[in-house]
Amino acid sequence: MSGRLLRRVLKEQEEQQLHDQELDEEFDDSPKRGAPSRNLFDLLGDQEDVEEADDLDNQGDAAEQAEHVTRNSSNVVAANIRKTKKKKNKGKDDKPRPKSDVEKIEQILEDLSIINKAPIQQTEQNTTAIQKELDEANPKKHSVSSILAVDPKRLKAENELRKIFGAKVVSSFENSHSGSSSRQVHGGRRVAHNPRKTILVTPSSYWPWWDRSMSMELLETKEGFHYFRYVHSPSYRHAQEAFEAAKEINDLNAIAAVLAHYPYHVESLLTFAELFKYSGEHQSSADAIAKCLFALECAWHPLFSPLQGNCQLKYTYDTNKPIFSALFSHMKNMDRRGCHRSALEVCKLLLALDHDDPKGALFCIDYFSLRAQEYRWLEQFAEEYQSDNSIWLFPNFSYSLAICRYYIEQDAAPGNETSSTGKATSGDLMKQALMLHPLVLQKLVAKAPLKDSAWTQILKHSFFGSAKAGSPTLDHLINIYVERNYIMWRFPELQNLLKEAALLVIEMLKQNNSEAWDWQCVRQEAFSSDKNEYSHLLVSDFSDVVPTLPPEELRPLMVAPHMMHHHHHHHHHQIPDGNGEAVAPERAPAPRDVAGRNAVAVFLESLLPWVDFGHENHEDHEYPDDGDQNFNDDLH
C-alpha cells in the first residue's frame, strides 16, 4: 500500500478514535461545560466587552454550579429510589460539591483523555456494572435493533455537505456566513464558552449554556430493551405553565419571554420553529429545531444509547413527545437541504426510539433510502424489520422495493443478472405492486404529473381507471405515499418501468381476470379495518410544500392584534388578521438588513432574545442546497 494511502488509513483511524472519545464524553458534567450562571443579561444578549462578561460569568458560576448540582442530585435521589428495587447502587455520590482543585485537575486529565469522568448521577464502575447487568438480563437482542443501528458520523448534515461540495467549499461558506466581527462582539461571553459535544446537532459557541432543566430516568428493562422517560425540573415545569398560559391567550410576546428566561424550553422553540417555517424563514426554523435537539440530547441518561436501537422512549409519556416532533422536523430540514443520507439516519433513529412509530417514519424511510441510494440497506430492512414479512403490503414499500431492485439490477455487472440470488426482478415486483395497489398509478399520473399519451390509454382500462382503495386506512396510506414519493416518478427510467409493468398487467387481465380478484382479497385482508388506523398522521406532514397559512393552532399566534403594539418593535411589518386585512402597528423605518424580507418573519425574529437586528439576523450557517432544485421543489 502506498505511503499516501497508509497515511489516509491512519488518519481515518485516528478520526474514528477521536469520534469514539467524543461519544464517551457525551455525558460529561465538567465545569467547562457545566451549568450556566443564570444571568438574564447574558441570555438577552448583553453588549459588554468580552473580558467584563467573562468576569461576571465566573463570579456567579461557582455558586450557581453548587445550586444546580444540589437540584440535580435531588432529582437523581428521587429517580434512584424508584430504581433501587432493580439494582443495588453502590458508591453513590449525591452530595452537592462546589468546584474544587481536585475537579480542576480531573478536568485537565479528562481533556487529555487519561480518565473519563462520569456524571454526577453515577460513578463509572457503577454505570458499567448496571450496563453489564442489563445486557446479561437478555443476551438475545431483538433483530429490529441491528437493522436500525444509527451511524453517528452520518447524522449531521455538515458531514454530508462536505462530501457533496468538498470541505473547502463548506468551510469557506461557513466563514463568509459567520459574520466574523459583528457577532464576536455582540453577546460577548457566548463566543468564549466551549459547548459540549453532541451527536444530533453541532451547537454554536454563541448559543446559551445548557441550563439542566431536564433529565431522563430509566423506567425498566425488558426483553433487551431499556425504557426511558424525560423528567422536567421544577423550573422547567414553571416554564411549561407559562408557555401553556401564553398559548391559551395567543400571546407570542409571552412565549418569547419564556425563551428569554429559559432559552431551552423545548415547546416554545418548537412553536417558533413552526411559525418561522410558515413565514418562509427556513434557516431560522432549522436553528430553533437544532436548539431543541441540543437540549433534549444534553438531558440523556448515561445508559441511554439510542444509536444501538435498544432504547425506547415511549410516545405515550407527554415529556417524551417533543423529541419526536423535533427529530421529524429536523429530518425534513435535512431533506430540504439535499442531505438525504443524513435524513435517512434521523428517520432510522425516529423509528428505533418507539416501535409504535408515532410519527410515521415507516412511511418515509423508503423515500430517504432511495434518494440516498441505499438500495441494499432498504431490501435488508424490508426483510428484517418485522418478523412476519408483511411490510411489502404497504403501498410505499410495494412500489419502493420494485424501484430499489431496478437500481440494483442497473448496478450489477452485465451478464451477472442471471446468477442473481433467485430474487424477483424489478418488473415482477412492479407488476405485483400494481396488482395490489392499482389506485397508486391513477394518483401518480395526476400528481407527478405524467403527460405521455400512453397513460391516458392505460387509465382507460377499468382496473386502473376506476380503482378504489377499499378501506379508509389504505386510502390514507396511498395519499401519504403519493405526497411523499411522487417526485421519484419524474425520472424517465422509472416512468418506463411503471408503464411497461402496467401494460403487462393489462395484457394479463385480458387472459385471466381471476388474478385481480385474488389480489383484492389480499388487500382486503391486510387492510380490513373500517376506520382509518393512521388518522394521526397528516398527509401534509409528508409534503415538501410548505403552505403559507399556518394550521389552526398556530394561526392565532401569527395574527393576534394585541401583540402588535409591544414596545420592543419598531420594525415595519404588516400581518394580515383573520379577515385578510393588514394590521400595521406604529412604526419607524426598518433597519436596512430587514428591508425586503418577509414582514411576519422579521417580527418573529425581533421577539427572540438571541437576535439583534443591529448585527447578524441569522444564527446558523445557511448551506447551499444540493443543486437538485428542479427535482426538489424550490422552497425559498
Side-chain angles (χ1 to χ4, degrees):
M1 128 179 351
S2 73
R4 191 184 303 152
L5 186 61
L6 184 64
R7 278 201 302 277
R8 203 175 78 205
V9 171
L10 287 172
K11 187 160 179 284
E12 280 171 7
Q13 280 176 347
E14 188 178 59
E15 280 169 0
Q16 182 57 44
Q17 282 166 350
L18 273 173
H19 183 74
D20 292 346
Q21 238 164 278
E22 285 168 24
L23 293 188
D24 290 343
E25 286 168 20
E26 196 84 52
F27 306 105
D28 170 11
D29 278 346
S30 56
K32 181 181 72 174
R33 301 175 190 152
S37 81
R38 190 54 76 67
N39 181 338
L40 289 185
F41 296 109
D42 286 351
L43 302 181
L44 291 163
D46 55 56
Q47 313 242 349
E48 279 105 5
D49 293 347
V50 178
E51 295 86 303
E52 237 176 83
D54 267 328
D55 288 346
L56 259 175
D57 213 36
N58 294 339
Q59 287 163 17
D61 209 28
E64 286 289 334
Q65 180 84 4
E67 183 238 346
H68 272 280
V69 171
T70 320
R71 195 178 70 203
N72 225 28
S73 308
S74 59
N75 283 359
V76 168
V77 176
N80 274 320
I81 290 168
R82 283 191 290 280
K83 281 189 238 167
T84 30
K85 295 190 187 71
K86 290 199 185 62
K87 48 196 170 292
K88 304 279 175 281
N89 272 342
K90 43 194 183 298
K92 201 90 203 103
D93 178 4
D94 272 333
K95 290 184 208 56
R97 310 178 298 193
K99 279 193 293 189
S100 65
D101 292 346
V102 179
E103 267 186 86
K104 283 174 192 154
I105 294 163
E106 276 186 1
Q107 172 58 45
I108 294 162
L109 290 175
E110 192 258 351
D111 282 349
L112 296 169
S113 81
I114 293 166
I115 60 165
N116 266 328
K117 201 165 78 56
I120 297 164
Q121 275 104 314
Q122 272 135 339
T123 61
E124 201 174 312
Q125 323 80 279
N126 206 19
T127 305
T128 44
I130 296 167
Q131 182 66 63
K132 207 166 141 217
E133 199 178 311
L134 296 179
D135 290 344
E136 281 165 5
N138 188 343
K140 80 166 188 67
K141 284 276 160 64
H142 206 275
S143 67
V144 168
S145 59
S146 58
I147 189 72
L148 290 176
V150 173
D151 178 353
K153 275 210 219 57
R154 296 190 179 271
L155 264 176
K156 286 182 181 168
E158 49 265 43
N159 296 344
E160 186 168 359
L161 288 161
R162 288 192 177 94
K163 276 212 178 81
I164 299 170
F165 296 105
K168 281 206 178 92
V169 176
V170 174
S171 48
S172 73
F173 196 87
E174 281 175 3
N175 295 341
S176 68
H177 276 63
S178 65
S180 48
S181 58
S182 64
R183 183 181 291 141
Q184 307 285 324
V185 180
H186 171 60
R189 175 197 65 76
R190 288 190 214 161
V191 173
H193 91 88
N194 180 2
R196 51 199 286 174
K197 297 269 196 309
T198 45
I199 53 177
L200 296 178
V201 293
T202 306
S204 293
S205 56
Y206 49 91
W207 283 4
W209 288 88
W210 158 238
D211 56 10
R212 293 171 182 281
S213 50
M214 266 189 288
S215 57
M216 192 187 259
E217 61 180 354
L218 175 63
L219 297 172
E220 61 173 339
T221 296
K222 61 168 192 255
E223 295 174 9
F225 287 102
H226 314 322
Y227 292 81
F228 293 90
R229 173 170 64 190
Y230 276 103
V231 181
H232 292 166
S233 68
S235 70
Y236 193 97
R237 285 199 290 275
H238 174 69
Q240 186 66 24
E241 284 162 19
F243 168 77
E244 307 279 351
K247 230 176 155 178
E248 196 60 36
I249 58 166
N250 302 330
D251 192 342
L252 202 50
N253 288 311
I255 296 179
V258 171
L259 282 173
H261 291 80
Y262 305 95
Y264 291 116
H265 180 256
V266 174
E267 284 185 62
S268 298
L269 286 168
L270 286 171
T271 302
F272 267 98
E274 285 290 279
L275 293 172
F276 277 129
K277 184 177 85 179
Y278 288 107
S279 55
E281 294 281 311
H282 295 289
Q283 196 52 47
S284 304
S285 178
D287 191 63
I289 294 293
K291 281 197 176 73
C292 278
L293 289 171
F294 174 66
L296 288 160
E297 183 176 340
C298 285
W300 284 356
H301 189 284
L303 295 175
F304 183 71
S305 50
L307 305 187
Q308 273 69 65
N310 62 349
C311 292
Q312 291 282 285
L313 277 174
K314 294 316 265 183
Y315 191 74
T316 42
Y317 298 113
D318 282 344
T319 53
N320 287 349
K321 286 180 177 156
I323 194 170
F324 290 90
S325 308
L327 282 171
F328 197 84
S329 299
H330 186 53
M331 174 177 80
K332 290 178 73 176
N333 291 337
M334 302 273 193
D335 179 45
R336 206 181 54 80
R337 286 160 60 174
C339 296
H340 307 300
R341 187 64 183 78
S342 306
L344 172 61
E345 225 53 32
V346 176
C347 195
K348 283 171 28 183
L349 183 57
L350 262 175
L351 197 52
L353 284 179
D354 184 345
H355 294 155
D356 299 330
D357 190 20
K359 287 285 176 189
L362 201 55
F363 304 114
C364 46
I365 201 163
D366 56 309
Y367 171 74
F368 294 125
S369 307
L370 293 175
R371 291 300 310 270
Q373 302 183 356
E374 290 289 321
Y375 307 125
R376 303 242 172 233
W377 181 85
L378 184 59
E379 285 198 341
Q380 192 190 345
F381 173 79
E383 282 161 22
E384 292 180 22
Y385 179 65
Q386 277 165 332
S387 46
D388 60 358
N389 196 15
S390 61
I391 200 166
W392 63 272
L393 290 168
F394 286 118
N396 58 320
F397 282 98
S398 60
Y399 282 85
S400 291
L401 287 168
I403 293 177
C404 193
R405 176 67 10 215
Y406 172 80
Y407 283 121
I408 289 175
E409 287 166 359
Q410 296 303 304
D411 291 345
N416 272 6
E417 293 89 7
T418 46
S419 65
S420 89
T421 53
K423 284 192 172 166
T425 63
S426 55
D428 291 342
L429 289 173
M430 189 56 82
K431 280 191 295 194
Q432 194 173 295
L434 286 165
M435 296 295 287
L436 187 57
H437 301 298
L439 179 59
V440 168
L441 179 104
Q442 184 186 314
K443 293 198 180 218
L444 280 176
V445 170
K447 176 79 178 172
L450 304 179
K451 293 275 203 285
D452 191 324
S453 59
W455 297 111
T456 321
Q457 288 307 309
I458 289 170
L459 285 174
K460 278 184 181 156
H461 193 284
S462 65
F463 181 72
F464 292 116
S466 47
K468 296 270 178 292
S471 90
T473 299
L474 192 53
D475 196 45
H476 190 59
L477 290 179
I478 287 173
N479 289 338
I480 286 177
Y481 170 71
V482 171
E483 188 58 63
R484 173 66 285 179
N485 288 59
Y486 76 92
I487 210 135
M488 294 296 302
W489 297 99
R490 292 186 175 176
F491 287 125
E493 68 270 23
L494 294 183
Q495 290 180 22
N496 280 337
L497 179 67
L498 187 65
K499 185 164 40 181
E500 282 166 20
L503 293 169
L504 284 170
V505 165
I506 289 173
E507 277 307 303
M508 194 175 66
L509 291 173
K510 278 181 189 158
Q511 313 295 312
N512 174 6
N513 214 1
S514 66
E515 199 144 340
W517 175 248
D518 295 343
W519 283 104
Q520 190 184 334
C521 293
V522 171
R523 193 164 61 235
Q524 279 168 345
E525 203 169 306
F527 301 95
S528 55
S529 170
D530 47 11
K531 64 179 197 314
N532 178 1
E533 293 168 3
Y534 294 95
S535 55
H536 59 286
L537 304 176
L538 302 178
V539 175
S540 58
D541 283 343
F542 294 84
S543 171
D544 276 333
V545 182
V546 179
T548 42
L549 267 184
E552 293 300 325
E553 69 272 17
L554 288 170
R555 204 166 301 151
L557 288 168
M558 299 283 265
V559 297
H562 61 268
M563 31 170 246
M564 304 303 299
H565 300 280
H566 195 271
H567 61 274
H568 273 339
H569 319 304
H570 308 294
H571 306 311
H572 171 66
H573 46 264
Q574 292 197 320
I575 298 185
D577 64 13
N579 312 323
E581 290 176 28
V583 187
E586 300 298 311
R587 57 183 176 266
R592 204 170 55 240
D593 57 357
V594 169
R597 288 182 54 215
N598 179 314
V600 181
V602 172
F603 171 64
L604 290 172
E605 265 188 7
S606 69
L607 292 176
L608 292 174
W610 54 77
V611 174
D612 178 62
F613 278 104
H615 302 284
E616 288 270 306
N617 307 339
H618 280 325
E619 284 268 277
D620 214 344
H621 322 302
E622 283 205 54
Y623 288 101
D625 274 332
D626 65 345
D628 214 349
Q629 287 307 355
N630 57 335
F631 194 76
N632 256 358
D633 296 347
D634 189 359
L635 296 171
H636 291 295

